[in-house]
């Protein structure tokens, strides 16, 4: 029968095991956001290019990734790459899959940030004789990234939860560790409840830190005004 007190006992007795899962989950989320940002930045810039085949290709990438399940994408990368002769460590393959998925969403966030930059800023850069690269790196991108930074933080929080799908391919993240423990102690509800609470603590802490960052940014903007 279900016994809530068993959850606490399981957490204390298997604390190192859960922390191994937390470490893997946070590492996956951090790597995914980092590489996803790079992919999203490249895609967002290329979607503004006048080279229409490249622009169409980037639009197809974003539409396909946003329109297909993350689990299917993970399975395609993890089991598809070896069939193409590309053999990578399981964790590396999963980071690639998550980064490709996150990159599509990051591209949309950055695109919105680029569009939010006031045209007067661009015209001022033109009047100073800046070329396209200088305008992008010195004027447009810094403002766009500042606008989209809170949304990128939300993407990090989402990835913490979404990384649980990697359980299906045997990655030792938090959900995998919890299910493995449950299969030995036969306390599925109690053990998975522990993992759910850990996910909650991680996402809640990240949300609070993100809120603190947003408030600091707003105070900085007010001081500049």
């Amino acid at each position: 029968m279900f016994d809530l007190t068993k959850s606490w006992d399981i957490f204390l007795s298997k604390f190192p095991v859960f922390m191994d899962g937390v470490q893997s989950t946070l590492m996956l989320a951090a790597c995914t956001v980092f590489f996803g940002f790079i992919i999203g930045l490249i895609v967002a810039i290329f979607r503004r290019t006048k080279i229409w085949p490249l622009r169409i290709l980037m639009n197809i990438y974003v539409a396909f990734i946003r329109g297909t399940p993350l689990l299917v994408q993970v399975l395609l990368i993890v089991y598809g790459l070896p069939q193409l002769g590309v053999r990578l460590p399981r964790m590396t393959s999963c980071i690639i899959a998550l980064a490709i998925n996150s990159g599509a969403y990051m591209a949309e966030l950055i695109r919105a940030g680029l569009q939010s930059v006031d045209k007067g800023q661009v015209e001022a850069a033109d009047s100073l004789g800046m070329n396209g690269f200088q305008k992008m790196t010195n004027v447009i991108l810094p403002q766009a990234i500042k606008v989209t930074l809170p949304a990128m933080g939300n993407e990090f929080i989402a990835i913490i939860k979404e990384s649980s799908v990697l359980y299906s391919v045997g990655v030792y993240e938090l959900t995998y560790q919890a299910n493995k423990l449950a299969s030995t102690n036969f306390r599925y509800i109690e053990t998975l409840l522990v993992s759910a609470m850990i996910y909650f603590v991680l996402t809640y802490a990240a949300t609070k830190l993100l809120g603190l960052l947003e408030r600091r940014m707003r105070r900085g903007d007010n001081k500049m005004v």
Side-chain angles (χ1 to χ4, degrees):
M1 294 179 63
F2 172 67
D3 185 356
L4 184 59
T5 60
K6 287 291 184 180
S7 294
W8 182 247
D9 294 337
I10 292 170
F11 174 71
L12 292 179
S13 61
K14 299 297 182 181
F15 181 79
V17 176
F18 284 111
M19 289 304 100
D20 285 343
V22 168
Q23 182 179 1
S24 297
T25 296
L26 292 178
M27 187 271 290
L28 282 165
C31 291
T32 297
V33 169
F34 176 75
F35 292 111
F37 170 76
I38 295 175
I39 294 173
L41 179 61
I42 295 172
V43 171
I45 293 175
F46 281 170
R47 292 179 77 185
R48 295 165 58 94
T49 184
K50 296 180 180 179
I51 306 174
W52 66 266
L54 187 58
R55 188 171 65 250
I56 291 176
L57 183 62
M58 296 298 102
N59 288 334
I60 292 174
Y61 158 73
V62 173
F64 178 80
I65 294 299
R66 286 166 61 90
T68 55
L70 173 59
L71 178 58
V72 174
Q73 297 165 19
V74 170
L75 294 175
L76 280 172
I77 296 296
V78 172
Y79 297 120
L81 289 181
Q83 292 188 358
L84 298 176
V86 180
R87 301 190 178 278
L88 299 171
R90 183 63 55 89
M91 184 69 77
T92 302
S93 297
C94 289
I95 290 174
I96 292 173
L98 291 176
I100 290 175
N101 177 272
S102 179
Y105 292 91
M106 287 286 193
E108 285 293 285
L109 297 177
I110 296 172
R111 181 183 65 84
L114 293 175
Q115 292 178 342
S116 70
V117 177
D118 187 79
K119 292 183 179 180
Q121 300 280 342
V122 180
E123 293 172 356
D126 289 331
S127 66
L128 293 174
M130 291 186 180
N131 57 36
F133 178 78
Q134 290 173 326
K135 285 189 294 185
M136 181 60 70
T137 56
N138 297 323
V139 178
I140 300 175
L141 271 182
Q143 297 184 62
I145 292 175
K146 186 176 182 180
V147 170
T148 58
L149 195 58
M152 292 180 187
N154 290 330
E155 177 69 7
F156 174 76
I157 294 172
I159 292 169
I160 290 177
K161 296 180 292 183
E162 292 173 356
S163 64
S164 61
V165 303
L166 301 182
Y167 152 77
S168 62
V169 293
V171 171
Y172 292 87
E173 45 76 55
L174 182 56
T175 301
Y176 183 95
Q177 297 285 41
N179 193 70
K180 184 179 178 181
L181 284 175
S183 65
T184 58
N185 62 21
F186 302 106
R187 291 282 184 176
Y188 281 91
I189 297 178
E190 293 88 341
T191 306
L192 293 176
L193 185 60
V194 172
S195 68
M197 292 304 300
I198 293 175
Y199 275 117
F200 172 75
V201 170
L202 292 176
T203 56
Y204 185 79
T207 301
K208 289 299 182 182
L209 290 174
L210 181 60
L212 178 63
L213 176 61
E214 290 184 39
R215 289 193 293 272
R216 286 183 177 273
M217 291 173 61
R218 283 198 295 268
R219 285 200 295 267
D221 290 339
N222 293 334
K223 289 180 180 179
M224 292 178 64
V225 174

